Amino acid sequence: MNGKKGSIRIDMFLPSNNVVTESAKKPITEDSPSPSKWVYDVWEFARQDRNRVTFALKVGLACVLVSLLILFRAPYDIFGTNIIWSILTVAIMFEYTVGATFNRGFNRALGSVLAGVFAIVVIEVAMFSSPSAEPYIIGFSIFLVGAVTSFMKLWPSLVPYEYCFRVILFTHCLIIVSGYRMGNPIRTAMDRLYSIAIGGLVTVLVNVFICPIWAGEQLHNELVNSFNCLADSLEECVKKYLSNDDSEHPDFSKTLMDNFPDEPAFRKSQAILNSSAILDSLANSAKWEPPHGRFNHFFYPWAEYVKVGNVLRHCAYEVMALHGCLHSEIQAPYTLRGAFQSEILDVTNQAAELLHSLAKDVNNMKWNLQTSQLKHVHVSTERLQHSIDLHSYLFMAIHEDNSAKAQLKTNRVASFNIKDFTKQSNITGKTTTPSEVLTQAESYHEVMKRQQRRLHSWPSMEVVDCEDGRNVVSDMIPMMRALESTSALSLATFTSLLIEFVARLDRLVEAVEKLSKMARFKQQITN
């Protein structure tokens, strides 16, 4: 109170070490990126693939060349406003790769011709009919074209020509409706077809002869990259599994939501699994491309690239399953994993070397009969399988260890001679009762048992904690002992997935060999 009636004064003093909240520190415009950050992102996006900049510049050049038909007076006097269809054709038809441009251009040309012919026929019929029937004929033709094209583009075998049906629909509607009001509809339809042809020709010439981007080359590089990514993913996953020393890991739910940001191998495997649509799209575009570069013969087997990618993707399924074992909640003891470390690493290295060799052969378009490397992979796998069969008792060591320890504790307690302890107590001058002898023996075996369990991974520590507690239900301990034995079997799951991966490599080698024969790779025989 400051002494005046009806007024209140409150003095607030903040300490000098007052903590400012994070929201107060952040600028208001944090959500909107800064101009420098935006420029850096654009630069990185362009630097990752320079063809993106090339494609953008080519589209701009094609639009400028077509616009000259409007900017100069002479072409404009011939075609009039219909020349705008050339610019529209360039914007719609120009695709990233040459093959996709040819595919889009074929659909564009076919749709425009069919729509133009049908529009001219409808216009002729409408002109020879009575003036009152002319609007009904035109309206019925629009309804018929819209219904038929919309139904046919849903037909499964006609899905690749879906864009052609769209072109037929809007080209027919625009030609016949605008020509109905402008007069001389046949001349209007022909001028628009000429404009579309000019735009398509400019698009093809610019895309083919100025820094062409071939879909076949991209498909080839994508497949080679998938081989290398799969090999790297396999090696990284196995090495991380064997080097896991039961240290603290981040929460599984958080790493799952972030797609395991600390594991590039996981993202590589995921990219291979998601590459099916990319390979199909590139293969469909490559079919339209003429012979070029290294792919210098007609009817190149682009479909075989997709088949090899499918087999490679099935191999990636096994690597993703290995990642599942790596991040599972129930893990094998680290000491048990180390028992088979050399065999697992040998199989992994041999398989990865085979994948890198296949990638090199496909990239160089040379085929080496992989008899030697494939044999080494099989020998390493057989060695791993033999080692598992020979040491299979380790996977059941936990069950046997519990029963053996109990029997050992009983035998050792029963073998204690009370007279020896009495004699020892007489020497030391202390008296030891039989109950104290049994208590000391039990405490010794309990300590040894706990030390042995701490060498194992989850859930051994939790079993010890449960046994140490006072208010724990006794039914929980058998269940957790079962989980402890299951953790040992997780190593068997990991090794079986690795062996299955090697088995699928045979199919992969066969698919690459078939591709090499159909694509006429240079044959090289190695022992």
Side-chain angles (χ1 to χ4, degrees), residues 275-434:
S275 64
S276 176
I278 299 176
L279 295 180
D280 290 338
S281 177
L282 291 175
N284 292 331
S285 299
K287 294 177 182 178
W288 294 89
E289 295 178 348
H292 59 278
R294 298 183 293 175
F295 319 102
N296 52 6
H297 60 271
F298 291 95
F299 306 107
Y300 195 83
W302 299 114
E304 293 300 320
Y305 279 82
V306 179
K307 294 180 181 179
V308 175
N310 293 335
V311 179
L312 196 64
R313 190 165 58 254
H314 279 78
C315 295
Y317 289 144
E318 297 298 325
V319 179
M320 291 295 287
L322 292 175
H323 278 282
C325 294
L326 176 63
H327 295 285
S328 62
E329 294 292 340
I330 302 177
Q331 292 289 340
Y334 177 65
T335 54
L336 184 59
R337 279 176 276 176
F340 302 94
Q341 182 175 1
S342 60
E343 291 82 0
I344 294 176
L345 282 178
D346 189 23
V347 174
T348 303
N349 294 333
Q350 294 293 339
E353 184 180 355
L354 177 61
L355 289 173
H356 285 302
S357 178
L358 291 174
K360 183 179 179 180
D361 290 343
V362 175
N363 186 36
N364 298 330
M365 301 185 72
K366 297 179 181 179
W367 172 243
N368 297 323
L369 297 179
Q370 307 292 339
T371 55
S372 177
Q373 290 188 350
L374 193 59
K375 183 178 180 180
H376 290 164
V377 176
H378 289 166
V379 170
S380 301
T381 307
E382 292 175 358
R383 188 181 298 112
L384 174 61
Q385 184 66 58
H386 179 70
S387 178
I388 292 175
D389 296 339
L390 187 63
H391 302 88
S392 59
Y393 63 91
L394 294 176
F395 298 108
M396 303 301 296
I398 295 179
H399 283 303
E400 298 173 358
D401 184 62
N402 292 334
S403 60
K405 286 180 179 180
Q407 183 67 27
L408 180 61
K409 181 179 70 174
T410 305
N411 294 338
R412 287 185 177 180
V413 171
S415 63
F416 282 131
N417 192 343
I418 299 179
K419 294 182 179 180
D420 295 338
F421 276 89
T422 304
K423 182 179 179 181
Q424 181 68 21
S425 62
N426 294 332
I427 296 175
T428 58
K430 298 180 180 179
T431 58
T432 305
T433 61

Side-chain angles (χ1 to χ4, degrees), residues 23-275:
S23 59
K25 293 181 180 180
K26 296 179 181 179
I28 299 176
T29 61
E30 182 188 9
D31 295 336
S32 59
S34 61
S36 60
K37 179 65 165 58
W38 184 80
V39 171
Y40 177 77
D41 292 340
V42 173
W43 172 260
E44 286 295 323
F45 180 75
R47 190 177 61 85
Q48 290 175 1
D49 189 0
R50 296 181 180 179
N51 288 331
R52 297 166 180 170
V53 179
T54 303
F55 167 71
L57 295 178
K58 290 197 300 182
V59 173
L61 177 61
C63 291
V64 168
L65 293 177
V66 175
S67 299
L68 295 177
L69 299 176
I70 300 176
L71 299 177
F72 289 102
R73 188 69 184 178
Y76 183 78
D77 292 338
I78 298 175
F79 298 101
T81 57
N82 293 322
I83 201 63
I84 196 68
W85 284 67
S86 299
I87 301 178
L88 180 64
T89 301
V90 171
I92 294 176
M93 182 177 165
F94 210 113
E95 291 292 334
Y96 186 74
T97 61
V98 175
T101 300
F102 275 110
N103 187 9
R104 181 62 66 93
F106 172 79
N107 284 274
R108 176 74 172 169
L110 181 61
S112 299
V113 170
L114 293 178
V117 171
F118 189 68
I120 292 175
V121 171
V122 172
I123 290 173
E124 290 289 341
V125 173
M127 291 178 62
F128 283 102
S129 63
S130 60
S132 59
E134 185 174 351
Y136 296 100
I137 295 176
I138 294 176
F140 177 76
S141 68
I142 294 175
F143 168 79
L144 182 63
V145 171
V148 172
T149 54
S150 299
F151 177 80
M152 294 302 295
K153 70 182 181 181
L154 300 177
W155 197 266
S157 60
L158 298 178
V159 170
Y161 307 99
E162 185 266 346
Y163 177 68
C164 177
F165 293 107
R166 289 183 181 272
V167 172
I168 293 175
L169 177 58
F170 76 76
T171 302
H172 174 78
C173 294
L174 291 177
I175 289 178
I176 199 170
V177 171
S178 60
Y180 175 73
R181 291 300 181 186
M182 294 176 63
N184 198 1
I186 297 179
R187 175 61 186 276
T188 302
M190 296 302 298
D191 289 344
R192 291 185 177 181
L193 290 178
Y194 291 148
S195 301
I196 293 173
I198 293 173
L201 181 62
V202 172
T203 300
V204 171
L205 293 178
V206 172
N207 206 352
V208 173
F209 292 102
I210 300 179
C211 300
I213 304 173
W214 302 102
E217 189 71 28
Q218 288 196 343
L219 176 62
H220 188 86
N221 296 333
E222 185 71 24
L223 186 64
V224 173
N225 185 53
S226 297
F227 275 100
N228 292 324
C229 286
L230 184 62
D232 296 339
S233 180
L234 176 65
E235 288 182 317
E236 183 177 339
C237 176
V238 172
K239 289 181 180 179
K240 190 168 185 178
Y241 182 81
L242 295 177
S243 63
N244 188 0
D245 55 355
D246 297 334
S247 58
E248 293 294 332
H249 297 286
D251 187 16
F252 178 78
S253 60
K254 294 181 180 179
T255 56
L256 182 62
M257 293 299 294
D258 296 337
N259 287 331
F260 303 100
D262 58 335
E263 294 187 19
F266 180 85
R267 295 193 297 271
K268 290 178 181 179
S269 299
Q270 195 175 38
I272 296 174
L273 297 181
N274 297 333
S275 64

